[in-house]
Amino acid sequence: MEAFVYLRVRPGTISSVRNRLTSSSVARRSVVVIGDWDVLCLVDGPDLSAIAGAVLGEIQLIEGIERTFTAPVVPPDRLGLVGFGGPPTPPIMRGASYVHIAAEAGAAPALFERLSEVGVAGAAVLAGPWDLLACITEPWEVASGIILDGIQGLPGVRTTNTLVSVDFEEAEEDRDQFSSWS
């Protein structure tokens, strides 16, 4: 089973949080994002209970994390989507855009199938406030057009919200204790 975990991080701690996530036993991948959250992380486990235990007992204990939100991935067969060629799970990678889609009632299965037609590299049906998560691996200048012209134009899309992953490393402090004196 998989889940996406969204992290809000205290300013100045994003590098140490990412380092701890990298050494985590449950976090498969994580990426720094801009938007409503600071880090998007993909976790997995044998079941939802194990994922919840890992988030509560390991991820939330990382120094610098202020808040988490866990969105379990709904298996496609729960939507009646067995044996089809829909998009794979969204890859977690730098430079990608993650589009959360709120669907009209009953529209999520058809939207999930149609997302691969509009330039989406991966998608997942989620439990939580957003029905679907779509990943676009094109640069933002291209991804924004896919979101506006492709995703938002699909029948059944109510609204979207986007996180954009960035290539971010905090700058190391290179001043000594006397450098501010002049």
Side-chain angles (χ1 to χ4, degrees):
M1 167 145 212
E2 296 175 316
F4 289 93
V5 179
Y6 300 79
L7 309 172
R8 184 145 313 123
V9 178
R10 188 171 53 250
T13 63
I14 204 149
S15 292
S16 63
V17 166
R18 286 278 321 282
N19 288 339
R20 292 282 311 275
L21 285 171
T22 301
S23 63
S24 162
S25 64
V26 294
R28 277 204 332 225
R29 299 262 329 185
S30 66
V31 67
V32 176
V33 292
I34 55 174
D36 293 340
W37 297 93
D38 301 315
V39 176
L40 176 62
C41 182
L42 179 64
V43 299
D44 62 9
D47 55 35
L48 187 55
S49 180
I51 289 172
V55 169
L56 296 172
E58 187 174 342
I59 292 176
Q60 284 188 355
L61 298 179
I62 295 173
E63 181 66 30
I65 293 178
E66 294 182 335
R67 183 169 181 237
T68 65
F69 173 77
T70 304
V73 173
V74 177
D77 65 333
R78 299 297 299 158
L79 299 170
L81 301 172
V82 179
F84 79 99
T89 299
I92 300 295
M93 58 185 278
R94 292 178 181 172
S97 297
Y98 298 92
V99 184
H100 298 89
I101 302 166
E104 293 179 7
L111 281 170
F112 183 74
E113 290 183 303
R114 299 224 28 221
L115 284 172
S116 59
E117 299 169 9
V118 296
V120 168
V125 178
L126 301 178
W130 300 100
D131 301 304
L132 298 131
L133 174 64
C135 175
I136 302 168
T137 56
E138 300 291 336
W140 173 247
E141 295 75 16
V142 175
S144 59
I146 293 170
I147 295 164
L148 294 171
D149 300 331
I151 294 175
Q152 290 182 350
L154 292 172
V157 172
R158 260 191 318 113
T159 188
T160 62
N161 178 283
T162 304
L163 298 175
V164 180
S165 65
V166 293
D167 199 6
F168 175 79
E169 296 296 327
E170 286 177 318
E172 299 241 356
E173 184 67 43
D174 61 356
R175 298 183 315 162
D176 62 21
Q177 63 185 1
F178 304 107
S179 64
S180 62
W181 295 3
S182 46

